[in-house]
Amino acid sequence: MKKTILGVALLLAACGQNSPGITRPPLPPGGNPPALLGAYWHRKVFKDGPVGAPGVDQVEVRGMMYRPRQFTAGLQLDLQENDMALLDPGPYQGLDILVTRKHGTYRKYTTPYFTFLSLNRKARVGVIWYGDPAHRPGWLEGWTQGANVKAQMPVPWGDGGVPTFWKNFPAGDHWLGSVEDRAVEVYDVLLAEAGGKASTAPPVPAGLEVPQPNTACPAWVHNQYMVRGFDGRMYPTWHPQIDPVYWCYFGHEHGSDPRQLPALRKRIDDGSIKLAFGYAARKANLDEPHSGYKVFAYDDRQGHAWLVAFHFGPSDRWRLCTRLYEYNLWVLSTQSGKILSEQHFLIDTGAAINPSVDPETNYRPPDCPGNYDLPFDQGFMGQRRIPLISYSGTEGWVPTYVQTLGIVVADPVQEVMAYVIDNPQFRCSPERDAQRRYTCNQMVRSPSDYDWGENRWFTVPGGDVNDGFEINAAIALAQGEFYTDALGKTRRRPTDPDAVRQYLEPGLHLKHVSSERWIPYDPWWVEYKPVPLGMVNFDTHNLEHALSTPN
């Protein structure tokens, strides 16, 4: 696994220790060095247990913001709760700063694992301590006290000067401890290059717009993230929410970093896996909105690494009447790294259903009234369950998989891998037509309480060996490498203009059985972890509120 923070981490010394099991993400395209800080979060503790254990705690990034080279007078130091600004940066003008969340509950935490920092290179790290320097917690012992800075605060520590404490850190992943109720606010984190100098702005190719940190990226930055498909064409591919070099925002996200698992990373690096958004859709002359491509990468704990790239974007009205979406699936052996299965096709998601009423019913939108007559409770029809704006809850997608590509379709339809969004950002308006049928005339943005980005999870059926997501090469159109149309139902020659490449290891027969939900643990790499039903704890994945409409 890439970066699961194992219980053994609790046996390590408290601060500045590398978190075990974390694999560094790749450098961005273009060759420029990334910003000092690669990722961060607060650990939101639900109950005692191992750091990172599913169902025990969660990652919190709400109210946090990394601002490269922006530690200067007037900077807001509290993004959510208090009016708190920097008055004088002292000798630290122009350093990087991680503004943390000034949450009252967080001040009371007592844990050596509270603020996570992932450093791209060695750095000098400072803590702005909003309290008595003689009353700091034990994890700050051994740090060197630096100059004071001044902040606008409703307490004596502000205008008169706030102490800072400094320590050198190597590149890698580190934890800082909690406040332990010894300060009036959660500390902020300063970052300088090794030696204490401020970082420098990354170079920009001549003639191109200069990206500004913490703002929208110019188009050319986004266009760097491309991959060549099996057909020789260039396609968009996965990228993070925030460009790691220029620290500008893309305004959308694509889920899991596909390189987080060693088996996947190796095959992506050698070109065996080509994560090309739009490969199958282009063969069918479909143009799917780019932001809708979502990636799910996970280790099934049964000897396989899975990579799914699904055009699964419940952020706009486009999804109401569209049934066919691109679906890409790879399964690899975690032991050998060998690709066992690779399928690319357009998956049928059936009817758009209103799950907020009893009995459930199909929508009858004016632009696709035939949706109302599609079956959703029989056969192998998929379904898109889009709630009304007047209801909270989840949006679930149940695709219709195709046996011609070796995917065993069970009966009933629920016995497939299904995908769910917790509190979708856009839901259906409640209008009805003259026959009292719900029409979903428009998509309405959810209340700001849910403005946290899409928290997607998925389920794999399985309480016993008769369930599960099953791939059997014997029922496919062919084995080994072969080509089909974009629906995956008819053989094609490799040279046919609509030919889509497929692969099944000859004789392959595997099954993933799970009775748990698989939830995203963090917003940076989007590591999926299995948790028992009823223990789906996760918070915002909207980094620095960098997502836009739609995401």
Side-chain angles (χ1 to χ4, degrees):
M1 276 191 55
K2 165 185 169 283
K3 53 175 215 52
T4 302
I5 305 168
L6 304 175
V8 70
L10 297 176
L11 302 177
L12 299 175
C15 293
Q17 292 286 351
N18 287 340
S19 301
I22 297 181
T23 299
R24 303 298 306 146
L27 290 177
N32 289 328
L36 272 171
L37 189 60
Y40 59 79
W41 61 67
H42 286 319
R43 177 188 174 209
K44 190 171 184 179
V45 180
F46 277 84
K47 62 180 180 180
D48 293 336
V51 176
V56 173
D57 61 12
Q58 71 186 35
V59 165
E60 170 73 278
V61 294
R62 186 167 31 189
M64 303 179 76
M65 181 175 287
Y66 173 46
R67 304 190 71 111
R69 304 174 298 281
Q70 296 174 62
F71 191 61
T72 188
L75 178 72
Q76 290 298 310
L77 299 173
D78 189 332
L79 303 179
Q80 288 198 320
E81 299 182 16
N82 301 316
D83 184 15
M84 182 176 168
L86 180 67
L87 299 176
D88 184 355
Y92 307 123
Q93 170 77 26
L95 293 189
D96 295 7
I97 180 171
L98 173 63
V99 177
T100 61
R101 187 174 184 189
K102 310 301 188 292
H103 194 293
T105 302
Y106 286 179
R107 294 200 306 268
K108 302 181 184 302
Y109 278 11
T110 301
T111 173
Y113 303 97
F114 174 57
T115 303
F116 173 77
L117 305 176
S118 182
L119 299 176
N120 285 315
R121 54 188 174 275
K122 59 183 179 180
R124 186 155 179 79
V125 177
V127 166
I128 304 176
W129 183 251
Y130 300 108
D132 186 342
H135 192 56
R136 63 189 188 275
W139 65 268
L140 272 174
E141 296 298 331
W143 291 55
T144 301
Q145 185 165 353
N148 286 3
V149 300
K150 293 184 179 180
Q152 176 186 357
M153 297 176 61
V155 292
W157 306 110
D159 295 355
V162 181
T164 63
F165 293 90
W166 295 85
K167 187 175 181 180
N168 294 327
F169 280 74
D173 304 295
H174 308 275
W175 286 97
L176 304 184
S178 57
V179 174
E180 300 181 13
D181 211 14
R182 297 178 183 227
V184 296
E185 297 289 358
V186 176
Y187 55 80
D188 289 309
V189 181
L190 293 172
L191 299 108
E193 300 286 352
K197 293 184 178 181
S199 60
T200 58
V204 175
L208 296 180
E209 180 182 350
V210 177
Q212 300 300 320
N214 307 104
T215 65
C217 293
W220 72 264
V221 180
H222 184 270
N223 293 341
Q224 296 179 106
Y225 295 87
M226 302 287 285
V227 66
R228 190 176 300 279
F230 284 110
D231 58 0
R233 295 176 179 267
M234 297 300 294
Y235 292 88
T237 191
W238 184 90
H239 59 73
Q241 289 187 44
I242 301 175
D243 183 79
V245 171
Y246 299 105
W247 211 259
C248 57
Y249 303 149
F250 290 123
H252 59 269
E253 51 78 40
H254 294 299
S256 297
D257 180 347
R259 300 178 80 255
Q260 66 182 270
L261 301 178
L264 296 176
R265 183 172 64 252
K266 181 178 179 180
R267 296 307 175 194
I268 291 172
D269 289 347
D270 69 16
S272 301
I273 290 179
K274 301 179 185 297
L275 185 55
F277 295 159
Y279 168 58
R282 172 176 276 178
K283 303 297 184 178
N285 296 316
L286 296 181
D287 184 15
E288 297 183 318
H290 168 77
S291 62
Y293 286 95
K294 309 303 180 184
V295 178
F296 304 81
Y298 70 102
D299 184 328
D300 66 5
R301 279 72 165 173
Q302 296 165 19
H304 308 108
W306 294 66
L307 179 63
V308 174
F310 182 15
H311 191 268
F312 171 58
S315 296
D316 55 29
R317 188 174 174 78
W318 191 78
R319 76 194 194 272
L320 183 64
C321 294
T322 304
R323 288 177 55 177
L324 295 178
Y325 296 85
E326 182 171 288
Y327 192 91
N328 306 274
L329 170 66
W330 291 263
V331 184
L332 286 73
S333 165
T334 53
Q335 183 174 5
S336 68
K338 184 177 182 181
I339 296 177
L340 305 176
S341 176
E342 177 181 348
Q343 293 105 328
H344 311 276
F345 59 103
L346 299 179
I347 203 163
D348 190 347
T349 58
I353 296 170
N354 182 356
S356 303
V357 296
D358 186 17
E360 295 181 351
T361 183
N362 290 15
Y363 289 107
R364 194 178 188 277
D367 36 357
C368 56
N371 179 78
Y372 185 78
D373 299 315
L374 292 175
F376 68 87
D377 58 354
Q378 57 182 306
F380 302 126
M381 292 295 296
Q383 48 190 257
R384 301 182 308 286
R385 303 168 60 83
I386 308 172
L388 295 172
I389 187 60
S390 52
Y391 289 78
S392 60
T394 60
E395 176 171 332
W397 289 37
V398 182
T400 305
Y401 297 92
V402 289
Q403 298 194 60
T404 46
L405 294 179
I407 301 174
V408 177
V409 179
D411 191 9
V413 70
Q414 286 79 12
E415 294 299 318
V416 296
M417 188 181 292
Y419 300 85
V420 182
I421 308 96
D422 188 73
N423 292 309
Q425 290 201 46
F426 287 84
R427 308 175 196 172
C428 280
S429 56
E431 296 90 355
R432 301 195 198 190
D433 62 16
Q435 288 74 40
R436 306 294 294 165
R437 297 170 296 197
Y438 287 93
T439 58
C440 189
N441 285 354
Q442 59 182 327
M443 289 292 172
V444 182
R445 189 173 181 85
S446 299
S448 59
D449 297 15
Y450 302 118
D451 186 19
W452 54 12
E454 291 177 8
N455 282 297
R456 292 176 298 277
W457 43 276
F458 63 89
T459 58
V460 180
D464 56 57
V465 295
N466 295 319
D467 298 325
F469 190 89
E470 186 175 357
I471 300 176
N472 185 353
I475 67 171
L477 291 171
Q479 301 185 36
E481 181 183 84
F482 61 103
Y483 289 79
T484 70
D485 65 337
L487 296 176
K489 295 182 178 181
T490 306
R491 290 286 300 271
R492 289 288 189 267
R493 294 177 304 226
T495 55
D496 289 339
D498 65 342
V500 177
R501 182 184 183 274
Q502 318 289 353
Y503 177 79
L504 286 167
E505 183 183 59
L508 176 69
H509 192 182
L510 63 85
K511 182 184 291 189
H512 177 200
V513 179
S514 174
S515 59
E516 301 156 309
R517 292 181 182 178
W518 291 72
I519 70 167
Y521 177 69
D522 73 277
W524 300 93
W525 302 281
V526 192
E527 175 190 3
Y528 274 88
K529 294 184 177 184
V531 300
L533 296 179
M535 297 191 70
V536 181
N537 295 318
F538 43 50
D539 215 316
T540 173
H541 288 171
N542 186 348
L543 292 171
E544 303 183 8
H545 290 274
L547 301 181
S548 62
T549 305
N551 65 52

